[in-house]
């Protein structure tokens, strides 16, 4: 541990660094954002490549039933995770001045919250097992409760690094953690651990991330449990936690509703299909949102710059997301067989439908960091409540149709949720709906053209094994999308090229 004077020197240095960046104007911030995006998204991509390599190998070894059991525990984990204090840590990022005492209070809050969550999860584990009619769920949840004890040592250093927009250090920590998790996953699958593989891998990932993140941030602080004067952090974190609680309802209602009536096998088919379809919105967009939150916080008093940054972010994200989603819908069969194996064939129609719903969810997710960073987390709460009601109702109606029925519920509920949430969020951000449509239209046209060509090419191909068939379709899609962008969206191509050069 370091002394209080060392705390003070470190925090004064960080505050001066931020002040110097702020005084540098838009050019300095733009340079920081570009570097932050490079390290946060690039680090995320590298870490995900490591994790996906292990994940898809493990999927081929484990059974759909293993993934179904794990998904049942995931509902409880997601609920507890919404309350784990990351909102408290985000409150630190927005502070113009941070003191050593504030850091120590935040660490104390995070420890108190997460120890409490671990105890609650252990207590409710038998209840969850009874609800799902699967006794093994209780044991899984008890062991998973240990993961909360690492959260304070991830959330605090992550907030410190994000506040200084030092995402390079985060990328190093995430890569080390990803490698540890991947090695554990492969070891468990090959050793015959079954569903326990899916518990051991993230547990190791969290532990290594806590160690590496703490080291990278030099966050060697003693916690303080004297919370006097920290009410502003608690209030901000509480509002964000409420918004995340609604997000939990809308994102986990499908598994909660289906888990009681689906077999573990069918639930595994659905949740693995959802994993494939949500790769962009669940794995890459949150990484970009981390950077966006820090950037929007710097621009919270400049409405014009904030609106321009949001519209540009929508263009860039959707230019990458839309070809992935529509391409996945067009190539669902070879993707599932090549990546997951023949035993997952039931997932093909589910993946195809879910891929068509995800563009709407991706755009919806982009609203939250902009609203939270300008001090309006209540908007995310209200949008979360709307999404919870819409998606839960859709899942309740669709569950009777099995995994395909739930996928259809996404196709109906996601566009409705986006429509209802857009007006509230866009008004706060200062962007008009037509500006968002203008940003989305060019990549949407190009992606639709790409999907049509890919389907036509697929129908004309002779019989091929899944891997070469997928390779041909991906190549055709890439060439078509690039050509369509050059034809319909030259300004977007120039913007993307400029971003790449910088």
């Amino acid at each position: 541990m370091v002394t209080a004077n060392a705390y003070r020197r470190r925090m004064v240095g960080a505050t001066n660094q931020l002040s110097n960046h702020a005084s540098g104007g838009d050019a300095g911030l733009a340079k920081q954002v570009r570097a932050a995006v490079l390290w946060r998204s690039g680090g995320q991509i590298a870490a995900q490549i490591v994790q996906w390599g292990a994940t898809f190998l493990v999927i081929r070894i484990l059974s759909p039933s293993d993934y179904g059991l794990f998904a049942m525990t995931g509902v409880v984990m997601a609920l507890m995770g919404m309350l784990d204090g990351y909102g408290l840590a985000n409150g630190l990022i927005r502070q113009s001045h941070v003191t050593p005492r504030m850091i120590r209070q935040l660490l104390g809050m995070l420890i108190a919250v997460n120890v409490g969550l671990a105890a609650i999860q252990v207590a409710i584990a038998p209840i969850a097992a009874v609800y799902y009619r699967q006794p093994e769920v209780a044991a899984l949840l008890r062991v998973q409760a240990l993961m909360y004890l690492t959260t304070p040592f991830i959330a605090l250093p992550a907030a410190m690094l994000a506040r200084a927009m030092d995402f390079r250090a985060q990328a190093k920590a995430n890569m080390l953690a990803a490698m540890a998790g991947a090695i554990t996953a492969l070891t468990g699958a090959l050793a015959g651990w079954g569903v326990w593989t899916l518990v051991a891998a993230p547990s190791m990932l969290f532990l290594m991330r806590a160690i590496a993140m703490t080291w990278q941030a030099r966050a060697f602080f003693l916690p303080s449990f004297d919370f006097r004067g920290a009410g502003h952090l608690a209030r901000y974190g509480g509002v964000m936690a409420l918004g995340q609680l609604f997000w939990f309802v809308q994102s986990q209602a499908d598994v909660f509703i289906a888990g009681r009536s689906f077999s573990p096998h069918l639930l595994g088919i659905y949740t693995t299909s959802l994993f494939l379809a949500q790769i962009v919105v669940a794995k890459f967009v949150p990484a970009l949102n981390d950077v966006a939150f820090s950037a929007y916080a710097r621009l919270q008093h400049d409405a014009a710059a904030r609106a321009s940054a949001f519209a540009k972010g929508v263009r860039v994200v959707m230019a990458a997301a839309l070809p992935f989603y529509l391409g996945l819908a067009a190539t669902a069969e070879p993707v599932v067989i090549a990546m997951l194996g023949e035993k997952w064939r039931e997932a093909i129609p589910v993946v195809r439908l879910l891929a068509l719903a995800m563009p709407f969810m991706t755009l919806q997710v982009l609203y939250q960091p902009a609203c939270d960073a300008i001090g309006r987390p209540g908007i995310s709460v209200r949008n979360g409540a709307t999404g919870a009601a819409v998606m839960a109702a859709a899942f309740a109606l669709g569950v009777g149709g099995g995994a395909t029925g739930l996928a259809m519920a996404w196709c109906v509920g996601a566009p409705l949720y986006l429509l209802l949430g857009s007006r509230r969020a866009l008004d706060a951000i200062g962007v008009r709906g037509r500006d968002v449509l203008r940003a989305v239209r060019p990549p949407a046209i190009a992606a639709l053209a790409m999907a049509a060509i890919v389907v036509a090419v697929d129908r004309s191909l002779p019989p091929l094994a899944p891997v070469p068939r997928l390779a041909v379709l991906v190549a055709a899609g890439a060439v078509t999308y690039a050509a369509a962008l050059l034809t319909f969206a030259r300004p977007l191509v120039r913007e993307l090229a400029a971003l790449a050069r910088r």
Side-chain angles (χ1 to χ4, degrees):
M1 296 298 172
V2 294
T3 65
N5 287 333
Y7 293 158
R8 189 171 295 105
R9 287 194 297 271
R10 182 179 295 140
M11 295 313 302
V12 168
T15 300
N16 290 339
Q17 182 185 22
L18 290 176
S19 299
N20 292 338
H21 284 311
S23 64
D26 292 344
L29 178 59
K31 184 177 180 180
Q32 266 193 298
V33 170
R34 286 196 297 270
V37 168
L38 174 65
W39 282 105
R40 184 65 178 95
S41 59
Q44 181 78 359
I45 290 170
Q48 287 300 326
I49 288 173
V50 172
Q51 288 181 272
W52 289 341
T55 296
F56 289 120
L57 287 173
V58 170
I59 287 175
R60 287 178 168 272
I61 298 171
L62 301 184
S63 69
S65 296
D66 291 326
Y67 283 89
L69 283 171
F70 181 69
M72 293 173 187
T73 70
V75 174
V76 178
M77 292 290 292
L79 173 59
M80 299 292 108
M82 295 298 100
L83 307 172
D84 62 6
Y86 268 89
L88 295 170
N90 281 342
L92 187 74
I93 300 173
R94 295 188 67 253
Q95 297 299 310
S96 58
H97 180 66
V98 174
T99 65
R101 183 170 184 268
M102 192 182 298
I103 293 285
R104 296 179 62 224
Q105 286 177 321
L106 176 58
L107 181 57
M109 289 180 183
L110 289 169
I111 291 174
V113 166
N114 282 277
V115 168
L117 291 176
I120 292 171
Q121 181 161 308
V122 170
I124 67 174
I127 300 173
V130 171
Y131 174 80
Y132 288 119
R133 306 186 182 97
Q134 298 292 335
E136 195 170 2
V137 166
L140 294 170
L141 284 171
R142 291 190 186 102
V143 174
Q144 287 172 308
L146 295 173
M147 294 169 63
Y148 299 116
L149 304 183
T150 65
T151 299
F153 308 100
I154 298 173
L156 175 62
M160 293 172 61
L161 293 171
R163 188 170 182 273
M165 296 192 77
D166 183 2
F167 290 95
R168 179 177 182 175
Q170 285 201 31
K172 293 178 180 178
N174 289 337
M175 175 56 73
L176 180 62
M179 293 177 64
I183 292 171
T184 303
L186 289 173
T187 300
L190 294 172
W193 294 355
V195 68
W196 287 98
T197 302
L198 305 177
V199 174
S203 297
M204 178 58 71
L205 185 148
F206 270 57
L207 177 60
M208 291 304 300
R209 190 176 182 214
I211 295 171
M213 197 75 79
T214 298
W215 177 261
Q216 289 291 335
R218 300 299 188 267
F220 307 120
F221 300 100
L222 290 170
S224 171
F225 298 97
D226 178 2
F227 301 138
R228 289 175 295 182
H232 60 292
L233 286 177
R235 286 190 294 272
Y236 184 84
V239 173
M240 291 195 70
L242 183 59
Q244 291 177 349
L245 185 61
F246 287 125
W247 174 257
F248 158 78
V249 174
Q250 72 181 61
S251 63
Q252 297 295 320
D254 50 356
V255 177
F256 182 78
I257 293 170
R260 190 168 172 82
S261 57
F262 284 14
S263 67
H265 173 87
L266 184 58
L267 188 62
I269 292 292
Y270 169 73
T271 54
T272 303
S273 301
L274 193 59
F275 161 75
L276 271 180
Q278 286 188 327
I279 281 176
V280 171
V281 69
K283 302 298 182 182
F284 293 127
V285 174
L288 296 175
N289 276 352
D290 286 348
V291 178
F293 180 84
S294 299
Y296 290 140
R298 305 280 188 90
L299 299 171
Q300 58 185 297
H301 302 301
D302 189 340
R306 184 177 67 245
S308 175
F310 179 79
K312 185 174 184 178
V314 168
R315 283 195 302 274
V316 172
V317 170
M318 297 309 284
L322 284 170
F324 172 83
Y325 292 133
L326 297 183
L328 181 60
T331 62
E333 182 178 351
V335 165
V336 169
I337 302 304
M339 302 185 76
L340 305 184
E342 189 67 35
K343 65 183 176 182
W344 294 91
R345 180 172 286 275
E346 295 171 72
I348 293 170
V350 185
V351 169
R352 183 174 290 118
L353 288 170
L354 289 170
L356 296 176
M358 288 306 128
F360 303 98
M361 293 304 298
T362 300
L363 185 53
Q364 176 70 47
V365 169
L366 295 177
Y367 293 155
Q368 182 171 348
C371 294
D372 291 349
I374 61 176
R376 301 284 299 277
I379 292 174
S380 297
V381 172
R382 291 193 291 273
N383 276 355
T386 300
V390 169
M391 298 308 297
F395 295 142
L397 293 173
V399 70
T404 304
L406 287 182
M408 285 295 299
W410 276 98
C411 292
V412 174
L416 179 59
Y417 174 28
L418 177 63
L419 179 65
L420 295 174
S422 291
R423 181 176 179 181
R424 185 183 296 125
L426 294 179
D427 284 347
I429 298 169
V431 178
R432 297 170 299 178
R434 69 172 70 100
D435 296 327
V436 175
L437 291 175
R438 191 179 298 118
V440 172
R441 185 168 59 240
I445 292 173
L448 286 168
M450 177 209 71
I453 294 298
V454 167
V455 170
V457 170
D458 193 24
R459 290 177 177 175
S460 66
L461 286 176
L464 292 174
V467 172
R469 178 185 171 192
L470 181 60
V472 170
L473 296 179
V474 168
V479 171
T480 303
Y481 185 64
L485 283 180
L486 288 171
T487 302
F488 301 114
R490 284 185 179 273
L492 176 59
V493 173
R494 288 193 290 270
E495 183 177 25
L496 294 173
L499 284 173
R501 285 197 300 272
R502 292 196 294 267

